[in-house]
Amino acid sequence: MREPWRLVLTRELQEEAAKHPEIRLVFVDATQDSDKQIKDIERLLGYGIDLLIVSPCDAKRLTPTISEVYQNIPVIVLDRVVEGYDYTLFIGPDNESIGKQAGKAIVSMAVGRTFSVLELRGGAGSQASAARSRGLEGVFVRHPNIRTQVVVVENESRDAAEDIVASLGDRLEDVDVIFAHNDYMALGAYRAIQGGANASKKIIGVDGFAGQDGGLELIRKGVIDETITCPTGGREAIQFSLDILQNVSGVPKQVILRSHNITRDNLESYERSLDKAPHELTDVIRVGYAQVGTESGWRLAANSSIREAAMDFNVDLTVIDANQSPARQIEAVRTFISQKMDVIVISPIIDSGWEPVLREAKRAGIPVLLSDRKINTEADDLFLTYIGGDFIEEGRRAMRWVQANVPPDKHPVRILEIQGTIGASPTIERKAGFEAVLAENGSYGIVHSSSGDYTIEGGRQVVESYLRANAWDIDVIFAHNDDMALGAIEALESAGIKPGEDVKIVSVDGTKRAVKAIIDGKLNCVVECAPFLGPQLMKAVTDLMMGKELPLRIITDERVFTRENAEEVLPGRSY
Ligand code: AHR
């Protein structure tokens, strides 16, 4: 409870809980001490709590405790994400994005001239501060005209920042802008330079709270020039607690909250948006959905989930199937623009080439949501949210299974990778996650990698063409989806190689056929990528049309299937 940000978080939790007489909020403060936090959690469990909300002091240290609690009751983790997926829901800001947003603001101030930034970072152990710096540096690498000096303010307070900035003396002279990782340090910096020769320097902070000495007030008074809002997620934590305890379906795994750049120019409109209550819907919402195609069992399940949810939410849905053609998919979006849809949803076949058509949608005032796949763009105003899986984590999980179950024998483990559609975000990110874990250990290597385009036929062809050119020397196949793994299995069997035994196979999705193949001993591990995005998507569409702000990303829950749990989960696999 040392930082003002935590006071706002606590207030939000209490105010939201107070609206629900069925909730009793019991609150404890770890005073920055992980040992105390672990004891606090034990004490809360002793009180018989139904659900735990925790902001871990130290995410790594708290991981085992949180994972144990999660075996018995739901756990919502706030703001610092623990390792692994042993919690019910994570809600937090995207600190790297916050750093990026600050970086872009500074770039627009610098407009091509040599520019010097003083960065006031938080304490060395702060995950949030490290991520913000990463985001900032990610922008500055492309702008060699911008130089940064970094100063760490260990306790992140206003007074410490004031003392440090005041002590910089001559080093301040050529500084153009001070970027402080919170508004209170930004205020401290202002106090250090006000009235002196350095008073004209620009100051940017982070948090953007209302109230006395909050970032919004500081902008109004001209103390700071800009703030990047950093939402606490307190209100959402209480709302999701109710959904979780009432077993509402479609609760996501992670909700990443949106941050805004606030300056004098948009301060008033931002404040008005905070006060605005959501309005009732009077008309049926018209949604145009630009879909990938029908390449896989996963896609068919995703299609049904979207259509069913549209009916449940009374949304008038038009789907155009691009049949795996990026050009056709862009045309589909143009059709939706000409039809003046209320909302356009895209599952982008590939992640590039989107900016022109998304700018057309923006000019037409039609909001765009991304479902299941992402796009690669520096512009952060071309779509409102992404709803789907965490593909990097899927890749990591696949390789973690390989590491744990296929030990290097006499020679390094030889892996054949069957990639999905080249240029699609799940392909890029699954590969990146897999390779990140692979890089931790020199005893594993990808010896061959080619695309099977997410189809059964594609998976079969990759194995057949490898067999035509090589004697079989592969220990593990990593297929980016189940359909390609099933195609690979057929090719292996035709060649007299026993899938699952002679070669271990790991894939992604979790279709019924793949789980059945695990039981039959032909597939070894399937990392789930849940296709049931319909309810979350239609809820987001409805919330948007009611005037609510959407999170930056909504990430779905996903599990891992192996021989240990395949029998048990098979009856529940509906696709
Ligand atoms: O975008 C999700 C991927 O697309 C699924 O993993 C794959 O099966 C599908 O075609």
Side-chain angles (χ1 to χ4, degrees):
M1 295 286 287
R2 206 186 48 191
E3 313 141 62
W5 190 90
R6 299 222 169 265
L7 300 178
V8 175
L9 163 63
T10 309
R11 198 180 60 225
E12 269 190 27
L13 286 166
Q14 287 166 339
E15 283 175 3
E16 191 63 27
K19 294 182 194 158
H20 303 279
E22 68 275 39
I23 289 189
R24 181 169 166 220
L25 185 67
V26 189
F27 186 84
V28 286
D29 175 16
T31 63
Q32 300 278 357
D33 174 348
S34 291
D35 291 329
K36 178 170 182 316
Q37 191 166 44
I38 291 169
K39 286 201 190 94
D40 283 346
I41 291 175
E42 283 163 11
R43 194 151 51 94
L44 290 171
L45 292 175
Y47 294 160
I49 54 167
D50 295 301
L51 178 144
L52 174 70
I53 300 175
V54 55
S55 269
C57 280
D58 174 334
K60 203 175 176 126
R61 279 226 39 219
L62 264 291
T63 295
T65 308
I66 289 174
S67 154
E68 208 179 308
V69 176
Y70 174 63
Q71 308 310 320
N72 300 305
I73 57 169
V75 182
I76 298 182
V77 179
L78 286 187
D79 113 74
R80 295 176 184 175
V81 71
V82 291
E83 291 178 357
Y85 257 17
D86 274 356
Y87 54 81
T88 315
L89 169 65
F90 169 78
I91 305 174
D94 181 337
N95 283 302
E96 199 165 327
S97 259
I98 290 177
K100 258 193 208 155
Q101 286 174 247
K104 285 186 183 171
I106 293 169
V107 168
S108 65
M109 289 172 180
V111 276
R113 62 195 169 98
T114 310
F115 212 66
S116 168
V117 182
L118 171 66
E119 182 188 353
L120 299 180
R121 257 186 213 176
S126 162
Q127 274 184 6
S129 215
R132 287 174 194 175
S133 292
R134 233 181 5 256
L136 195 72
E137 282 154 17
V139 175
F140 290 167
V141 280
R142 295 190 304 277
H143 296 275
N145 58 316
I146 298 179
R147 288 189 319 253
T148 322
Q149 4 171 353
V150 177
V151 174
V152 171
V153 182
E154 218 27 80
N155 70 6
E156 299 174 31
S157 72
R158 181 197 67 187
D159 294 348
E162 180 175 349
D163 292 347
I164 287 177
V165 174
S167 72
L168 290 177
D170 295 350
R171 282 173 61 195
L172 263 183
E173 267 170 32
D174 67 340
V175 167
D176 296 289
V177 59
I178 300 174
F179 168 52
H181 283 214
N182 71 36
D183 290 334
Y184 306 93
M185 292 197 282
L187 173 57
Y190 168 81
R191 287 160 60 128
I193 61 173
Q194 86 187 115
N198 292 312
S200 61
K201 298 191 185 314
K202 302 241 177 248
I203 303 180
I204 301 179
V206 175
D207 282 347
F209 294 132
Q212 203 197 346
D213 285 350
L216 302 183
E217 201 50 40
L218 297 180
I219 290 178
R220 195 180 339 274
K221 288 184 181 155
V223 170
I224 65 173
D225 298 273
E226 186 153 352
T227 185
I228 323 295
T229 62
C230 179
T232 69
R235 198 171 311 121
E236 292 82 354
I238 296 294
Q239 290 161 355
F240 274 115
S241 297
L242 286 169
D243 287 354
I244 292 167
L245 291 170
Q246 289 163 0
N247 289 322
V248 171
S249 67
V251 172
K253 193 69 186 175
Q254 297 189 346
V255 174
I256 309 300
L257 302 164
R258 177 174 297 280
S259 293
H260 299 274
N261 287 56
I262 310 297
T263 62
R264 270 233 156 141
D265 294 342
N266 63 350
L267 175 65
E268 281 177 15
S269 65
Y270 176 70
E271 286 177 320
R272 272 197 306 276
S273 74
L274 295 179
D275 294 337
K276 227 195 222 158
H279 50 81
E280 290 294 315
L281 290 174
T282 43
D283 298 324
V284 171
I285 307 168
R286 293 172 63 241
V287 173
Y289 195 120
Q291 183 55 289
V292 173
T294 49
E295 75 286 3
S296 63
W298 187 96
R299 183 72 51 202
L300 301 179
N303 275 336
S304 324
S305 163
I306 290 155
R307 287 184 193 280
E308 278 163 29
M311 285 198 284
D312 293 347
F313 280 77
N314 194 24
V315 163
D316 177 5
L317 176 72
T318 307
V319 179
I320 298 183
D321 178 349
N323 204 8
Q324 297 275 27
S325 154
R328 219 169 299 158
Q329 195 171 37
I330 288 174
E331 266 329 292
V333 174
R334 291 216 164 91
T335 305
F336 293 142
I337 296 173
S338 68
Q339 290 172 341
K340 298 189 170 46
M341 290 289 176
D342 295 314
V343 179
I344 295 175
V345 183
I346 312 173
S347 281
I349 298 169
I350 55 171
D351 73 346
S352 53
W354 285 100
E355 295 205 5
V357 74
L358 292 185
R359 289 198 192 285
E360 288 167 36
K362 193 170 163 64
R363 276 196 296 277
I366 304 178
V368 172
L369 272 52
L370 300 184
S371 162
D372 147 49
R373 292 187 185 182
K374 300 176 192 157
I375 62 167
N376 182 6
T377 168
E378 269 309 307
D380 45 21
D381 57 348
L382 295 181
F383 64 92
L384 282 180
T385 193
Y386 162 75
I387 301 174
D390 180 346
F391 301 131
I392 294 197
E393 179 60 18
E394 290 164 4
R396 279 195 215 114
R397 287 174 162 197
M399 183 54 208
R400 278 197 215 107
W401 183 91
V402 174
Q403 250 181 354
N405 294 278
V406 191
D409 210 349
K410 289 181 197 76
H411 64 84
V413 173
R414 296 170 64 80
I415 301 171
L416 184 153
E417 180 187 34
I418 310 182
Q419 296 188 43
T421 305
I422 299 300
S425 63
T427 308
I428 296 165
E429 295 192 348
R430 284 173 190 162
K431 185 171 182 51
F434 190 86
E435 287 179 348
V437 178
L438 185 133
E440 292 166 7
N441 189 329
S443 310
Y444 297 83
I446 297 177
V447 294
H448 182 84
S449 180
S450 50
S451 169
D453 222 8
Y454 287 123
T455 64
I456 295 188
E457 188 47 34
R460 184 186 301 129
Q461 279 173 14
V462 171
V463 171
E464 282 173 357
S465 76
Y466 187 83
L467 276 166
R468 272 196 298 277
N470 305 276
W472 188 249
D473 56 358
I474 297 295
D475 303 301
V476 173
I477 292 179
F478 167 43
H480 286 200
N481 86 347
D482 289 347
D483 292 69
M484 296 189 296
L486 294 170
I489 288 173
E490 287 175 15
L492 291 167
E493 286 181 325
S494 311
I497 301 162
K498 281 199 183 131
E501 282 182 37
D502 298 341
V503 52
K504 306 285 185 242
I505 306 180
V506 189
S507 67
V508 183
D509 272 357
T511 61
K512 201 178 210 157
R513 281 186 68 194
V515 176
K516 177 82 176 34
I518 297 182
I519 295 170
D520 295 341
K522 297 180 181 183
L523 189 53
N524 302 83
C525 171
V526 172
V527 179
E528 187 182 29
C529 173
F532 304 118
L533 303 175
Q536 279 160 22
L537 176 64
M538 293 307 157
K539 179 167 186 315
V541 164
T542 314
D543 282 353
L544 175 68
M545 296 310 286
M546 288 167 77
K548 293 191 199 169
E549 175 166 286
L550 298 185
L552 191 60
R553 292 192 294 280
I554 301 171
I555 306 296
T556 43
D557 193 7
E558 300 174 337
R559 291 174 293 165
V560 175
F561 307 125
T562 60
R563 289 194 182 153
E564 277 72 53
N565 60 0
E567 295 268 8
E568 181 199 327
V569 300
L570 183 67
R573 304 312 295 162
S574 54
Y575 63 102

